[in-house]
């Protein structure tokens, strides 16, 4: 898609506690916009489950590759679809990657207001996690892929 292929790296905090968060999500514990996404591996074809944040605004849904070109981003790009757990049920979605120009609009017009609408404690934590993105929205649009999710039957 013409996007720079730079990985931003997963922060040590996420590496250390990500597994615990995924287990809590597996148990159905609500964690803000975080949920589980299952996507087919681009090489193995096997389903891979990852924790992601799904932003829902005005009936539209997006998932952001906040840490750049990580495996789930490459898998979703290749598969073009995924299953996302909403509440206790899995739903199938098509995934369309935004162009860099579309992402340049998404970050200030969708992501920033979404973060601002979160409850104060969650908002502070999300701002801390996304501090690199929020400090450089144009850079994020070039290096952090965004996918819009479209509901599919089945």
């Amino acid at each position: 898609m013409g996007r720079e292929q730079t990985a931003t790296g997963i922060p040590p905090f996420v590496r250390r506690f990500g597994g615990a968060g995924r287990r809590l999500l597996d148990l159905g514990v609500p964690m803000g916009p975080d949920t589980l996404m299952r996507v087919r591996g681009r090489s193995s074809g096997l389903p891979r489950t990852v924790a992601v944040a799904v932003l829902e605004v005005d009936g539209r849904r997006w998932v952001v590759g906040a840490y750049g070109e990580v495996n789930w981003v490459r898998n979703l790009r290749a598969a073009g679809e995924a299953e996302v757990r909403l509440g206790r049920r899995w739903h199938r979605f098509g995934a369309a990657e935004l162009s860099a120009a579309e992402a340049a609009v998404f970050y200030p017009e969708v992501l920033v207001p979404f973060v601002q609408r979160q409850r104060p404690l969650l908002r502070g934590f999300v701002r801390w996690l996304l501090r690199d993105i929020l400090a450089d929205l144009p850079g994020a649009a070039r290096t952090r892929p965004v996918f819009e999710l479209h509901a599919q039957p089945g």
Side-chain angles (χ1 to χ4, degrees), residues 13-31:
F13 172 83
V14 174
R15 285 190 189 277
R16 180 167 220 179
F17 297 106
R22 181 162 181 256
R23 285 188 290 285
L24 290 171
L25 290 168
D26 270 335
L27 294 171
V29 175
M31 296 180 67

Side-chain angles (χ1 to χ4, degrees), residues 14 21 30 35 43 47 58 65 102 104 117:
V14 174
T35 190
S43 299
D58 296 331
E102 292 167 327
R117 283 193 301 273

Side-chain angles (χ1 to χ4, degrees), residues 106-138:
F106 168 85
Y107 279 102
E109 293 186 9
V110 178
L111 179 72
V112 170
F114 179 85
V115 170
Q116 291 171 339
R117 283 193 301 273
Q118 301 307 303
R119 294 182 182 160
L121 183 61
L122 179 60
R123 181 174 53 239
F125 181 67
V126 170
R127 281 183 180 157
W128 177 75
L129 274 178
L130 300 180
R131 63 191 175 278
D132 292 342
I133 290 173
L134 297 172
D136 182 12
L137 297 174

